Amino acid sequence: MARVKNTRFTKRIVYGNIASPLSQKKCAKTKDSTHKWTVFVRGVNGEDISHFIKKVEFGLHETFSTPKRVVEGPPFEISETGWGEFELSIILYFVPESGEKPITLYHDLRLHPHADDGLMFSSNVSKTVSSFQYEELIFIDPFKEMYQILADN
Ligand code: SLL
């Protein structure tokens, strides 16, 4: 398959988590869990990324009953309850047209406010914490089919 030479597409994504404490009542129901959290991969402005990302595999801590969670379409996210922070792996699988190998990202799941959170920590208004980072995916000289996909979106 032919590549489109001298072309380059940059797609910006954001990945991370939000978390908030469970109420006492909910804690009792969910046994050891103290927090609910959602880990996600999305476009920086919430735009659809499924034209170039086919599926996302989230690797949770082995204390979860099924640590490997595969999300086959948008929204690429997993919501869970838990009691501890740990490092997640996030494997991005690209659409087959891209010919790209999957890439693995890592994210430290965050449940608690940290001292350097500043206002969020001291105001105590919202107990929701968030932690996320940006990533630029760069497609250089993509295959023709992939070029079309990237150019159209
Ligand atoms: C810690 N190193 O000790 C970490 C491990 C693991 C968190 C945290 C499991 C919840 C469930 C869960 O939250 N594990 O099984 O439903 O802090």
Side-chain angles (χ1 to χ4, degrees):
M1 231 197 327
R3 286 186 178 274
V4 183
K5 288 275 159 56
N6 303 315
T7 57
R8 176 193 177 101
F9 286 91
T10 304
K11 296 286 176 182
R12 296 182 71 221
I13 58 162
V14 54
Y15 64 100
N17 82 279
I18 57 163
S20 55
L22 290 170
S23 64
Q24 294 287 25
K25 218 162 97 195
K26 283 208 180 121
C27 275
K29 251 195 257 166
T30 54
K31 288 183 282 182
D32 293 336
S33 291
T34 55
H35 289 74
K36 59 178 179 184
W37 52 260
T38 299
V39 59
F40 59 84
V41 180
R42 43 173 96 126
V44 275
N45 296 308
E47 68 271 29
D48 184 39
I49 52 172
S50 62
H51 51 280
F52 60 95
I53 293 180
K54 184 173 179 283
K55 65 172 183 178
V56 177
E57 187 181 307
F58 295 92
L60 277 48
H61 193 265
E62 65 258 20
T63 46
F64 285 86
S65 49
T66 39
K68 187 170 130 181
R69 308 285 172 92
V70 182
V71 182
E72 306 270 359
F76 296 109
E77 60 181 48
I78 292 289
S79 293
E80 259 298 349
T81 61
W83 48 264
E85 298 182 330
F86 59 92
E87 187 187 59
L88 281 146
S89 60
I90 302 174
I91 310 176
L92 307 181
Y93 289 85
F94 298 99
V95 292
E97 296 89 329
S98 71
E100 301 282 345
K101 290 200 190 86
I103 63 164
T104 306
L105 306 169
Y106 295 94
H107 172 69
D108 286 318
L109 181 78
R110 186 137 142 212
L111 303 184
H112 306 287
H114 290 190
D116 61 3
D117 285 349
L119 271 180
M120 185 184 267
F121 187 58
S122 57
S123 74
N124 218 12
V125 173
S126 162
K127 295 227 169 74
T128 300
V129 299
S130 63
S131 167
F132 53 86
Q133 45 266 302
Y134 295 93
E135 179 77 20
E136 283 195 335
L137 303 171
I138 301 170
F139 300 91
I140 296 168
D141 296 351
F143 289 120
K144 224 172 146 196
E145 226 180 325
M146 186 62 179
Y147 175 90
Q148 217 56 58
I149 290 171
L150 293 168
D152 288 349
N153 288 279

